[in-house]
Amino acid sequence: MIRKEGIAPIARHAVAQGLARLMMRLPATRATIRAAAASQSHLYELCGAYGEACSVLDRMRKDGSADPAIIAEYEIICAEIEADVQRALLGDR
């Protein structure tokens, strides 16, 4: 089990948010993602990165003055993290 006691509450929130969003985006792997994130530090960290990237993307989409190129870059980052998660899960089978 991954030790989460030393992780700041903000980071834990990003992980929880990222995990929830990944489970919505990849519904066929919900149970697997949840279990893997609880036991594998790499997937736990990917969930946190995904949560942070999605939060930034959401804020930029709401901001009418946000640079469309940066928004597109964050969309790519989110898609790449989703692909990394899928590859990690397939590697565990």
Side-chain angles (χ1 to χ4, degrees), residues 7-87:
I7 299 173
I10 293 172
R12 278 194 304 267
H13 176 73
V15 171
Q17 182 182 37
L19 178 60
R21 286 177 179 244
L22 281 165
M23 290 190 312
M24 287 190 308
R25 293 283 299 156
L26 309 169
T29 61
R30 283 183 182 151
T32 308
I33 292 171
R34 183 185 304 276
S39 64
Q40 299 175 24
S41 61
H42 176 67
L43 276 168
Y44 186 83
E45 291 171 11
L46 281 174
C47 288
Y50 189 73
E52 291 174 16
C54 287
S55 291
V56 171
L57 182 56
D58 288 346
R59 284 193 301 274
M60 286 192 301
R61 284 177 173 158
K62 290 177 186 173
D63 181 3
S65 64
D67 183 347
I70 296 176
I71 291 173
E73 188 173 326
Y74 268 88
E75 289 170 341
I76 291 168
I77 290 168
C78 290
E80 288 174 348
I81 294 171
E82 290 172 14
D84 287 346
V85 168
Q86 289 177 322
R87 278 191 295 277

